[in-house]
Amino acid sequence: MKNRVKVLRAEHNLTQADLANAVEVSRQTINAIEKGKFDPSLILAFKLSEYFSKSIEEIFEYGK
């Protein structure tokens, strides 16, 4: 699944650790999401959506 987490994190001047703390996951989880190696749970997707004030669809793109 493609996503804009890295771009949004950069726009907010956040480190992976900062974002991880904000959404209560490990830095490694954020790294894996940014690299497309891990698809977040629905709960985590909602947390990221709320944190960035974006819809889930604006952050994640379900790929073909």
Side-chain angles (χ1 to χ4, degrees):
M1 180 181 334
K2 293 182 180 180
N3 69 76
R4 298 186 59 237
V5 173
K6 186 173 184 176
V7 171
L8 292 169
R9 182 173 60 74
E11 288 176 358
H12 288 78
N13 295 316
L14 297 168
T15 65
Q16 288 181 342
D18 293 335
L19 181 57
N21 288 334
V23 296
E24 301 174 319
V25 296
S26 69
R27 185 197 58 77
Q28 290 83 1
T29 297
I30 298 299
N31 185 51
I33 292 170
E34 288 182 358
K35 291 186 175 189
K37 294 182 177 179
F38 175 75
D39 291 334
S41 67
L42 186 55
I43 291 172
L44 179 53
F46 273 106
K47 285 182 177 180
L48 291 166
S49 172
E50 182 176 314
Y51 186 82
F52 289 122
S53 299
K54 301 279 185 191
S55 69
I56 290 176
E57 292 83 3
E58 290 176 297
I59 300 173
F60 298 98
E61 179 182 332
Y62 182 70
K64 298 172 184 145

CSV table of all heavy atoms in Angstrom, one decimal:
chain,number,residue,atom,x,y,z
A,1,MET,N,0.8,-1.2,0.0
A,1,MET,CA,0.0,0.0,0.0
A,1,MET,C,0.9,1.2,0.0
A,1,MET,O,1.8,1.4,0.8
A,1,MET,CB,-0.9,0.0,1.2
A,1,MET,CG,-1.8,1.1,1.3
A,1,MET,SD,-2.9,1.2,2.8
A,1,MET,CE,-3.1,-0.4,3.4
A,2,LYS,N,0.6,2.1,-0.9
A,2,LYS,CA,1.4,3.4,-1.0
A,2,LYS,C,0.9,4.3,0.1
A,2,LYS,O,-0.3,4.2,0.5
A,2,LYS,CB,1.2,4.0,-2.3
A,2,LYS,CG,1.9,3.3,-3.5
A,2,LYS,CD,1.7,4.0,-4.8
A,2,LYS,CE,2.3,3.3,-5.9
A,2,LYS,NZ,2.2,4.0,-7.2
A,3,ASN,N,1.7,5.2,0.6
A,3,ASN,CA,1.3,6.1,1.6
A,3,ASN,C,2.1,7.4,1.5
A,3,ASN,O,3.2,7.5,0.9
A,3,ASN,CB,1.3,5.5,3.0
A,3,ASN,CG,2.8,5.3,3.4
A,3,ASN,OD1,3.4,6.2,3.8
A,3,ASN,ND2,3.2,4.0,3.4
A,4,ARG,N,1.6,8.4,2.2
A,4,ARG,CA,2.3,9.7,2.2
A,4,ARG,C,2.8,10.1,3.6
A,4,ARG,O,3.1,11.2,4.0
A,4,ARG,CB,1.3,10.8,1.8
A,4,ARG,CG,0.8,10.7,0.4
A,4,ARG,CD,-0.1,11.8,0.0
A,4,ARG,NE,0.7,13.1,0.0
A,4,ARG,CZ,0.3,14.2,0.8
A,4,ARG,NH1,-0.8,14.1,1.4
A,4,ARG,NH2,1.0,15.3,0.8
A,5,VAL,N,3.0,9.1,4.5
A,5,VAL,CA,3.5,9.3,5.8
A,5,VAL,C,4.8,10.0,5.9
A,5,VAL,O,5.0,11.0,6.6
A,5,VAL,CB,3.5,8.0,6.6
A,5,VAL,CG1,4.2,8.2,8.0
A,5,VAL,CG2,2.1,7.4,6.8
A,6,LYS,N,5.8,9.6,5.1
A,6,LYS,CA,7.1,10.3,5.1
A,6,LYS,C,7.0,11.7,4.7
A,6,LYS,O,7.6,12.6,5.3
A,6,LYS,CB,8.0,9.5,4.2
A,6,LYS,CG,9.5,10.0,4.3
A,6,LYS,CD,10.4,9.2,3.5
A,6,LYS,CE,11.8,9.7,3.7
A,6,LYS,NZ,12.8,8.8,3.0
A,7,VAL,N,6.2,12.0,3.7
A,7,VAL,CA,6.0,13.4,3.2
A,7,VAL,C,5.3,14.2,4.3
A,7,VAL,O,5.7,15.3,4.6
A,7,VAL,CB,5.1,13.4,1.9
A,7,VAL,CG1,4.8,14.8,1.5
A,7,VAL,CG2,5.9,12.7,0.8
A,8,LEU,N,4.2,13.7,4.9
A,8,LEU,CA,3.5,14.4,5.9
A,8,LEU,C,4.4,14.7,7.1
A,8,LEU,O,4.4,15.7,7.7
A,8,LEU,CB,2.2,13.7,6.3
A,8,LEU,CG,1.2,13.7,5.2
A,8,LEU,CD1,0.1,12.7,5.6
A,8,LEU,CD2,0.6,15.0,5.0
A,9,ARG,N,5.2,13.6,7.5
A,9,ARG,CA,6.1,13.8,8.6
A,9,ARG,C,7.1,14.9,8.3
A,9,ARG,O,7.4,15.7,9.2
A,9,ARG,CB,6.8,12.4,8.9
A,9,ARG,CG,7.7,12.4,10.1
A,9,ARG,CD,8.2,11.1,10.4
A,9,ARG,NE,9.0,10.5,9.3
A,9,ARG,CZ,10.2,10.8,8.9
A,9,ARG,NH1,10.9,11.8,9.6
A,9,ARG,NH2,10.9,10.2,7.9
A,10,ALA,N,7.6,14.9,7.1
A,10,ALA,CA,8.6,16.0,6.8
A,10,ALA,C,8.0,17.4,6.8
A,10,ALA,O,8.6,18.3,7.3
A,10,ALA,CB,9.2,15.7,5.4
A,11,GLU,N,6.7,17.4,6.3
A,11,GLU,CA,6.0,18.7,6.3
A,11,GLU,C,5.8,19.3,7.7
A,11,GLU,O,5.7,20.5,7.9
A,11,GLU,CB,4.7,18.6,5.6
A,11,GLU,CG,4.8,18.4,4.1
A,11,GLU,CD,3.4,18.2,3.4
A,11,GLU,OE1,2.4,18.1,4.1
A,11,GLU,OE2,3.4,18.0,2.2
A,12,HIS,N,5.7,18.3,8.7
A,12,HIS,CA,5.5,18.7,10.1
A,12,HIS,C,6.8,18.8,10.9
A,12,HIS,O,6.7,18.9,12.1
A,12,HIS,CB,4.5,17.8,10.7
A,12,HIS,CG,3.1,17.9,10.2
A,12,HIS,ND1,2.6,17.4,9.0
A,12,HIS,CD2,2.0,18.6,10.8
A,12,HIS,CE1,1.3,17.8,8.9
A,12,HIS,NE2,0.9,18.4,10.0
A,13,ASN,N,7.9,18.6,10.2
A,13,ASN,CA,9.2,18.6,10.8
A,13,ASN,C,9.3,17.7,12.0
A,13,ASN,O,9.8,18.0,13.1
A,13,ASN,CB,9.6,20.0,11.3
A,13,ASN,CG,9.7,21.0,10.1
A,13,ASN,OD1,10.4,20.6,9.1
A,13,ASN,ND2,9.2,22.2,10.2
A,14,LEU,N,8.9,16.4,11.7
A,14,LEU,CA,8.9,15.4,12.8
A,14,LEU,C,9.9,14.4,12.5
A,14,LEU,O,10.1,14.0,11.3
A,14,LEU,CB,7.5,14.7,12.9
A,14,LEU,CG,6.3,15.6,13.3
A,14,LEU,CD1,5.0,14.8,13.0
A,14,LEU,CD2,6.4,15.9,14.7
A,15,THR,N,10.5,13.8,13.5
A,15,THR,CA,11.4,12.6,13.3
A,15,THR,C,10.4,11.4,13.3
A,15,THR,O,9.3,11.5,13.8
A,15,THR,CB,12.4,12.5,14.4
A,15,THR,OG1,11.7,12.3,15.7
A,15,THR,CG2,13.3,13.7,14.5
A,16,GLN,N,11.0,10.3,12.9
A,16,GLN,CA,10.2,9.1,13.0
A,16,GLN,C,9.8,8.8,14.5
A,16,GLN,O,8.7,8.4,14.8
A,16,GLN,CB,10.9,7.9,12.4
A,16,GLN,CG,11.0,7.9,10.9
A,16,GLN,CD,11.8,6.7,10.4
A,16,GLN,OE1,12.5,6.0,11.1
A,16,GLN,NE2,11.6,6.5,9.1
A,17,ALA,N,10.8,9.1,15.4
A,17,ALA,CA,10.5,8.9,16.8
A,17,ALA,C,9.4,9.8,17.3
A,17,ALA,O,8.6,9.4,18.1
A,17,ALA,CB,11.8,9.1,17.6
A,18,ASP,N,9.4,11.0,16.9
A,18,ASP,CA,8.4,12.0,17.3
A,18,ASP,C,7.0,11.5,16.9
A,18,ASP,O,6.0,11.5,17.7
A,18,ASP,CB,8.5,13.4,16.6
A,18,ASP,CG,9.8,14.1,17.1
A,18,ASP,OD1,10.2,13.9,18.2
A,18,ASP,OD2,10.3,15.0,16.3
A,19,LEU,N,6.9,11.0,15.6
A,19,LEU,CA,5.6,10.5,15.2
A,19,LEU,C,5.2,9.3,15.9
A,19,LEU,O,4.0,9.1,16.2
A,19,LEU,CB,5.6,10.3,13.6
A,19,LEU,CG,4.3,9.8,13.0
A,19,LEU,CD1,3.2,10.8,13.3
A,19,LEU,CD2,4.5,9.7,11.5
A,20,ALA,N,6.2,8.4,16.0
A,20,ALA,CA,5.9,7.1,16.7
A,20,ALA,C,5.4,7.4,18.1
A,20,ALA,O,4.4,6.7,18.6
A,20,ALA,CB,7.2,6.3,16.8
A,21,ASN,N,6.0,8.3,18.9
A,21,ASN,CA,5.5,8.7,20.2
A,21,ASN,C,4.1,9.2,20.1
A,21,ASN,O,3.2,8.9,21.0
A,21,ASN,CB,6.4,9.6,20.9
A,21,ASN,CG,7.7,9.0,21.3
A,21,ASN,OD1,7.8,7.8,21.5
A,21,ASN,ND2,8.7,9.8,21.4
A,22,ALA,N,3.8,10.0,19.1
A,22,ALA,CA,2.5,10.7,19.0
A,22,ALA,C,1.4,9.7,18.8
A,22,ALA,O,0.2,9.9,19.2
A,22,ALA,CB,2.5,11.7,17.9
A,23,VAL,N,1.7,8.6,18.0
A,23,VAL,CA,0.6,7.6,17.7
A,23,VAL,C,0.8,6.3,18.4
A,23,VAL,O,0.2,5.3,18.1
A,23,VAL,CB,0.5,7.4,16.2
A,23,VAL,CG1,0.0,8.7,15.5
A,23,VAL,CG2,1.8,6.9,15.6
A,24,GLU,N,1.8,6.3,19.4
A,24,GLU,CA,2.0,5.2,20.3
A,24,GLU,C,2.3,3.9,19.6
A,24,GLU,O,1.7,2.9,19.8
A,24,GLU,CB,0.7,5.0,21.2
A,24,GLU,CG,0.4,6.2,22.0
A,24,GLU,CD,-0.9,6.1,22.7
A,24,GLU,OE1,-1.9,5.6,22.2
A,24,GLU,OE2,-1.0,6.6,23.9
A,25,VAL,N,3.4,4.0,18.7
A,25,VAL,CA,4.0,2.8,18.1
A,25,VAL,C,5.5,3.0,18.2
A,25,VAL,O,6.0,4.0,18.6
A,25,VAL,CB,3.5,2.6,16.7
A,25,VAL,CG1,2.0,2.3,16.6
A,25,VAL,CG2,3.9,3.8,15.8
A,26,SER,N,6.2,2.0,17.7
A,26,SER,CA,7.7,2.1,17.7
A,26,SER,C,8.1,2.9,16.5
A,26,SER,O,7.4,3.0,15.5
A,26,SER,CB,8.3,0.7,17.7
A,26,SER,OG,8.1,0.1,16.5
A,27,ARG,N,9.3,3.4,16.6
A,27,ARG,CA,9.9,4.1,15.5
A,27,ARG,C,10.1,3.1,14.3
A,27,ARG,O,9.9,3.5,13.2
A,27,ARG,CB,11.3,4.7,15.9
A,27,ARG,CG,12.0,5.5,14.8
A,27,ARG,CD,13.5,5.7,15.0
A,27,ARG,NE,14.2,4.5,15.1
A,27,ARG,CZ,14.5,3.7,14.1
A,27,ARG,NH1,14.2,4.1,12.9
A,27,ARG,NH2,15.2,2.6,14.2
A,28,GLN,N,10.4,1.9,14.6
A,28,GLN,CA,10.5,0.9,13.6
A,28,GLN,C,9.2,0.7,12.8
A,28,GLN,O,9.3,0.4,11.6
A,28,GLN,CB,11.0,-0.4,14.2
A,28,GLN,CG,12.4,-0.4,14.7
A,28,GLN,CD,12.6,0.2,16.1
A,28,GLN,OE1,11.6,0.6,16.7
A,28,GLN,NE2,13.8,0.3,16.6
A,29,THR,N,8.1,0.8,13.5
A,29,THR,CA,6.8,0.7,12.8
A,29,THR,C,6.6,1.8,11.8
A,29,THR,O,6.2,1.6,10.7
A,29,THR,CB,5.7,0.7,13.8
A,29,THR,OG1,5.8,-0.5,14.7
A,29,THR,CG2,4.3,0.6,13.2
A,30,ILE,N,6.9,3.0,12.2
A,30,ILE,CA,6.8,4.2,11.3
A,30,ILE,C,7.8,4.0,10.1
A,30,ILE,O,7.4,4.2,9.0
A,30,ILE,CB,7.1,5.5,12.0
A,30,ILE,CG1,6.1,5.7,13.2
A,30,ILE,CG2,7.2,6.7,11.1
A,30,ILE,CD1,4.7,5.9,12.8
A,31,ASN,N,9.0,3.5,10.4
A,31,ASN,CA,9.9,3.3,9.3
A,31,ASN,C,9.4,2.2,8.3
A,31,ASN,O,9.5,2.4,7.1
A,31,ASN,CB,11.3,2.8,9.9
A,31,ASN,CG,12.3,2.7,8.9
A,31,ASN,OD1,12.6,3.6,8.1
A,31,ASN,ND2,13.0,1.5,8.9
A,32,ALA,N,8.8,1.2,8.9
A,32,ALA,CA,8.3,0.1,8.0
A,32,ALA,C,7.1,0.6,7.2
A,32,ALA,O,7.0,0.2,6.0
A,32,ALA,CB,7.9,-1.1,8.8
A,33,ILE,N,6.3,1.4,7.8
A,33,ILE,CA,5.1,2.0,7.0
A,33,ILE,C,5.6,2.9,5.9
A,33,ILE,O,5.2,2.8,4.7
A,33,ILE,CB,4.2,2.8,8.0
A,33,ILE,CG1,3.5,1.8,8.9
A,33,ILE,CG2,3.2,3.6,7.2
A,33,ILE,CD1,2.7,2.5,10.0
A,34,GLU,N,6.6,3.7,6.2
A,34,GLU,CA,7.1,4.7,5.2
A,34,GLU,C,7.8,3.9,4.0
A,34,GLU,O,7.7,4.3,2.9
A,34,GLU,CB,8.2,5.6,5.8
A,34,GLU,CG,7.5,6.6,6.7
A,34,GLU,CD,8.6,7.6,7.3
A,34,GLU,OE1,9.8,7.4,7.0
A,34,GLU,OE2,8.1,8.5,8.0
A,35,LYS,N,8.4,2.8,4.3
A,35,LYS,CA,9.0,2.0,3.2
A,35,LYS,C,8.1,1.0,2.6
A,35,LYS,O,8.5,0.3,1.7
A,35,LYS,CB,10.2,1.2,3.8
A,35,LYS,CG,11.4,2.2,4.2
A,35,LYS,CD,12.6,1.4,4.7
A,35,LYS,CE,13.7,2.4,4.9
A,35,LYS,NZ,15.0,1.7,5.2
A,36,GLY,N,6.8,1.0,3.0
A,36,GLY,CA,5.8,0.1,2.4
A,36,GLY,C,6.0,-1.3,2.7
A,36,GLY,O,5.5,-2.2,2.1
A,37,LYS,N,6.7,-1.6,3.8
A,37,LYS,CA,7.0,-2.9,4.3
A,37,LYS,C,5.9,-3.4,5.3
A,37,LYS,O,5.9,-4.6,5.6
A,37,LYS,CB,8.4,-3.1,4.9
A,37,LYS,CG,9.5,-2.9,3.9
A,37,LYS,CD,10.8,-3.0,4.5
A,37,LYS,CE,11.9,-2.9,3.5
A,37,LYS,NZ,13.2,-3.0,4.1
A,38,PHE,N,5.1,-2.5,5.7
A,38,PHE,CA,4.1,-2.8,6.8
A,38,PHE,C,2.9,-2.0,6.5
A,38,PHE,O,2.9,-0.8,6.3
A,38,PHE,CB,4.7,-2.5,8.1
A,38,PHE,CG,3.7,-2.7,9.3
A,38,PHE,CD1,3.4,-4.0,9.7
A,38,PHE,CD2,3.1,-1.6,9.9
A,38,PHE,CE1,2.5,-4.2,10.8
A,38,PHE,CE2,2.3,-1.8,11.0
A,38,PHE,CZ,1.9,-3.1,11.4
A,39,ASP,N,1.7,-2.7,6.5
A,39,ASP,CA,0.4,-2.0,6.4
A,39,ASP,C,-0.1,-1.8,7.8
A,39,ASP,O,-0.2,-2.7,8.5
A,39,ASP,CB,-0.6,-2.8,5.5
A,39,ASP,CG,-0.2,-2.9,4.1
A,39,ASP,OD1,0.5,-1.9,3.6
A,39,ASP,OD2,-0.5,-3.8,3.4
A,40,PRO,N,-0.4,-0.5,8.1
A,40,PRO,CA,-0.9,-0.3,9.5
A,40,PRO,C,-2.3,-0.9,9.7
A,40,PRO,O,-3.1,-1.1,8.8
A,40,PRO,CB,-1.0,1.3,9.5
A,40,PRO,CG,-1.2,1.6,8.1
A,40,PRO,CD,-0.5,0.7,7.3
A,41,SER,N,-2.5,-1.1,11.0
A,41,SER,CA,-3.9,-1.6,11.4
A,41,SER,C,-4.8,-0.4,11.2
A,41,SER,O,-4.5,0.7,11.0
A,41,SER,CB,-3.9,-1.9,12.9
A,41,SER,OG,-3.7,-0.7,13.7
A,42,LEU,N,-6.1,-0.7,11.2
A,42,LEU,CA,-7.1,0.3,11.0
A,42,LEU,C,-7.0,1.3,12.1
A,42,LEU,O,-7.1,2.5,11.9
A,42,LEU,CB,-8.5,-0.4,11.0
A,42,LEU,CG,-9.7,0.6,10.6
A,42,LEU,CD1,-9.5,1.3,9.3
A,42,LEU,CD2,-11.0,-0.2,10.6
A,43,ILE,N,-6.8,0.9,13.3
A,43,ILE,CA,-6.7,1.8,14.4
A,43,ILE,C,-5.5,2.7,14.2
A,43,ILE,O,-5.6,4.0,14.4
A,43,ILE,CB,-6.5,1.0,15.8
A,43,ILE,CG1,-7.8,0.3,16.1
A,43,ILE,CG2,-6.1,2.0,16.9
A,43,ILE,CD1,-7.7,-0.6,17.3
A,44,LEU,N,-4.3,2.2,13.8
A,44,LEU,CA,-3.2,3.1,13.5
A,44,LEU,C,-3.4,4.0,12.4
A,44,LEU,O,-3.0,5.2,12.4
A,44,LEU,CB,-1.9,2.2,13.3
A,44,LEU,CG,-0.6,3.0,13.0
A,44,LEU,CD1,-0.4,4.0,14.1
A,44,LEU,CD2,0.5,2.0,12.9
A,45,ALA,N,-4.1,3.6,11.4
A,45,ALA,CA,-4.5,4.4,10.2
A,45,ALA,C,-5.3,5.6,10.7
A,45,ALA,O,-5.1,6.7,10.3
A,45,ALA,CB,-5.2,3.6,9.1
A,46,PHE,N,-6.3,5.3,11.6
A,46,PHE,CA,-7.1,6.4,12.2
A,46,PHE,C,-6.3,7.4,13.0
A,46,PHE,O,-6.5,8.6,13.0
A,46,PHE,CB,-8.3,5.8,13.0
A,46,PHE,CG,-9.5,5.5,12.1
A,46,PHE,CD1,-9.8,4.2,11.8
A,46,PHE,CD2,-10.3,6.5,11.7
A,46,PHE,CE1,-10.9,3.9,11.1
A,46,PHE,CE2,-11.4,6.2,10.9
A,46,PHE,CZ,-11.7,4.9,10.6
A,47,LYS,N,-5.3,6.8,13.8
A,47,LYS,CA,-4.5,7.7,14.6
A,47,LYS,C,-3.7,8.6,13.7
A,47,LYS,O,-3.5,9.8,14.0
A,47,LYS,CB,-3.6,6.9,15.5
A,47,LYS,CG,-4.3,6.2,16.7
A,47,LYS,CD,-3.2,5.5,17.5
A,47,LYS,CE,-3.9,4.9,18.8
A,47,LYS,NZ,-2.9,4.1,19.6
A,48,LEU,N,-3.1,8.1,12.7
A,48,LEU,CA,-2.3,8.9,11.7
A,48,LEU,C,-3.2,9.9,11.1
A,48,LEU,O,-2.8,11.1,10.9
A,48,LEU,CB,-1.6,8.0,10.7
A,48,LEU,CG,-0.5,7.2,11.3
A,48,LEU,CD1,0.0,6.1,10.3
A,48,LEU,CD2,0.7,8.0,11.7
A,49,SER,N,-4.4,9.5,10.7
A,49,SER,CA,-5.3,10.4,10.0
A,49,SER,C,-5.7,11.6,11.0
A,49,SER,O,-5.7,12.8,10.6
A,49,SER,CB,-6.6,9.6,9.7
A,49,SER,OG,-7.6,10.5,9.2
A,50,GLU,N,-6.0,11.3,12.2
A,50,GLU,CA,-6.3,12.3,13.2
A,50,GLU,C,-5.1,13.2,13.4
A,50,GLU,O,-5.2,14.4,13.5
A,50,GLU,CB,-6.8,11.6,14.5
A,50,GLU,CG,-7.2,12.6,15.6
A,50,GLU,CD,-7.7,11.9,16.8
A,50,GLU,OE1,-8.5,11.0,16.6
A,50,GLU,OE2,-7.3,12.3,17.9
A,51,TYR,N,-3.9,12.6,13.6
A,51,TYR,CA,-2.7,13.4,13.9
A,51,TYR,C,-2.4,14.4,12.8
A,51,TYR,O,-2.1,15.6,13.1
A,51,TYR,CB,-1.5,12.5,14.1
A,51,TYR,CG,-0.3,13.3,14.6
A,51,TYR,CD1,-0.2,13.6,15.9
A,51,TYR,CD2,0.6,13.7,13.7
A,51,TYR,CE1,0.9,14.4,16.3
A,51,TYR,CE2,1.7,14.4,14.1
A,51,TYR,CZ,1.9,14.8,15.4
A,51,TYR,OH,2.9,15.5,15.8
A,52,PHE,N,-2.5,14.0,11.5
A,52,PHE,CA,-2.2,14.9,10.4
A,52,PHE,C,-3.4,15.7,9.9
A,52,PHE,O,-3.3,16.5,9.0
A,52,PHE,CB,-1.6,14.1,9.3
A,52,PHE,CG,-0.2,13.6,9.5
A,52,PHE,CD1,0.0,12.2,9.4
A,52,PHE,CD2,0.8,14.4,9.8
A,52,PHE,CE1,1.3,11.7,9.7
A,52,PHE,CE2,2.1,13.9,10.1
A,52,PHE,CZ,2.4,12.6,10.0
A,53,SER,N,-4.6,15.4,10.5
A,53,SER,CA,-5.8,16.1,10.1
A,53,SER,C,-6.1,15.9,8.6
A,53,SER,O,-6.4,16.8,7.9
A,53,SER,CB,-5.8,17.6,10.4
A,53,SER,OG,-5.6,17.8,11.8
A,54,LYS,N,-5.9,14.6,8.2
A,54,LYS,CA,-6.1,14.2,6.8
A,54,LYS,C,-7.0,13.0,6.9
A,54,LYS,O,-7.1,12.2,7.8
A,54,LYS,CB,-4.8,13.8,6.1
A,54,LYS,CG,-3.8,14.9,6.1
A,54,LYS,CD,-4.1,15.9,5.0
A,54,LYS,CE,-2.9,16.9,4.8
A,54,LYS,NZ,-3.3,18.0,4.0
A,55,SER,N,-7.8,12.8,5.8
A,55,SER,CA,-8.6,11.6,5.7
A,55,SER,C,-7.6,10.4,5.5
A,55,SER,O,-6.5,10.6,5.0
A,55,SER,CB,-9.6,11.7,4.6
A,55,SER,OG,-8.9,11.6,3.3
A,56,ILE,N,-8.0,9.2,5.8
A,56,ILE,CA,-7.2,8.0,5.6
A,56,ILE,C,-6.9,7.9,4.1
A,56,ILE,O,-5.7,7.6,3.7
A,56,ILE,CB,-7.9,6.8,6.1
A,56,ILE,CG1,-8.0,6.8,7.6
A,56,ILE,CG2,-7.2,5.5,5.6
A,56,ILE,CD1,-8.8,5.7,8.2
A,57,GLU,N,-7.8,8.3,3.2
A,57,GLU,CA,-7.6,8.2,1.8
A,57,GLU,C,-6.5,9.2,1.3
A,57,GLU,O,-5.9,9.0,0.3
A,57,GLU,CB,-8.9,8.4,1.0
A,57,GLU,CG,-9.9,7.4,1.2
A,57,GLU,CD,-10.7,7.5,2.5
A,57,GLU,OE1,-10.6,8.5,3.2
A,57,GLU,OE2,-11.5,6.6,2.7
A,58,GLU,N,-6.4,10.3,2.1
A,58,GLU,CA,-5.3,11.3,1.7
A,58,GLU,C,-3.9,10.8,2.1
A,58,GLU,O,-2.9,11.4,1.7
A,58,GLU,CB,-5.6,12.6,2.4
A,58,GLU,CG,-6.8,13.3,1.8
A,58,GLU,CD,-7.2,14.6,2.6
A,58,GLU,OE1,-7.5,14.6,3.8
A,58,GLU,OE2,-7.1,15.7,1.9
A,59,ILE,N,-3.9,9.9,3.0
A,59,ILE,CA,-2.6,9.3,3.5
A,59,ILE,C,-2.2,8.0,2.9
A,59,ILE,O,-1.1,7.8,2.5
A,59,ILE,CB,-2.6,9.2,5.1
A,59,ILE,CG1,-2.9,10.5,5.7
A,59,ILE,CG2,-1.3,8.6,5.5
A,59,ILE,CD1,-3.1,10.4,7.2
A,60,PHE,N,-3.2,7.2,2.7
A,60,PHE,CA,-3.0,5.8,2.2
A,60,PHE,C,-3.7,5.6,0.9
A,60,PHE,O,-4.8,6.0,0.7
A,60,PHE,CB,-3.4,4.8,3.2
A,60,PHE,CG,-2.7,4.8,4.5
A,60,PHE,CD1,-3.2,5.5,5.6
A,60,PHE,CD2,-1.4,4.3,4.6
A,60,PHE,CE1,-2.5,5.6,6.8
A,60,PHE,CE2,-0.7,4.4,5.8
A,60,PHE,CZ,-1.3,5.0,6.9
A,61,GLU,N,-3.0,4.9,0.0
A,61,GLU,CA,-3.6,4.6,-1.3
A,61,GLU,C,-3.6,3.1,-1.5
A,61,GLU,O,-2.5,2.5,-1.5
A,61,GLU,CB,-2.8,5.3,-2.4
A,61,GLU,CG,-3.3,5.0,-3.8
A,61,GLU,CD,-2.4,5.6,-4.9
A,61,GLU,OE1,-1.8,6.6,-4.7
A,61,GLU,OE2,-2.4,5.0,-6.0
A,62,TYR,N,-4.7,2.5,-1.6
A,62,TYR,CA,-4.8,1.1,-1.8
A,62,TYR,C,-4.4,0.8,-3.2
A,62,TYR,O,-5.1,1.3,-4.2
A,62,TYR,CB,-6.2,0.6,-1.5
A,62,TYR,CG,-6.4,-0.9,-1.6
A,62,TYR,CD1,-5.8,-1.7,-0.7
A,62,TYR,CD2,-7.1,-1.4,-2.7
A,62,TYR,CE1,-5.9,-3.1,-0.9
A,62,TYR,CE2,-7.2,-2.8,-2.8
A,62,TYR,CZ,-6.6,-3.6,-1.9
A,62,TYR,OH,-6.7,-5.0,-2.1
A,63,GLY,N,-3.3,0.1,-3.4
A,63,GLY,CA,-2.7,-0.1,-4.7
A,63,GLY,C,-3.3,-1.3,-5.4
A,63,GLY,O,-3.9,-2.2,-4.8
A,64,LYS,N,-3.0,-1.3,-6.6
A,64,LYS,CA,-3.4,-2.5,-7.4
A,64,LYS,C,-2.1,-3.3,-7.8
A,64,LYS,O,-1.1,-2.8,-7.8
A,64,LYS,CB,-4.1,-2.0,-8.7
A,64,LYS,CG,-5.3,-1.3,-8.4
A,64,LYS,CD,-5.9,-0.7,-9.7
A,64,LYS,CE,-7.1,0.2,-9.3
A,64,LYS,NZ,-7.3,1.3,-10.0
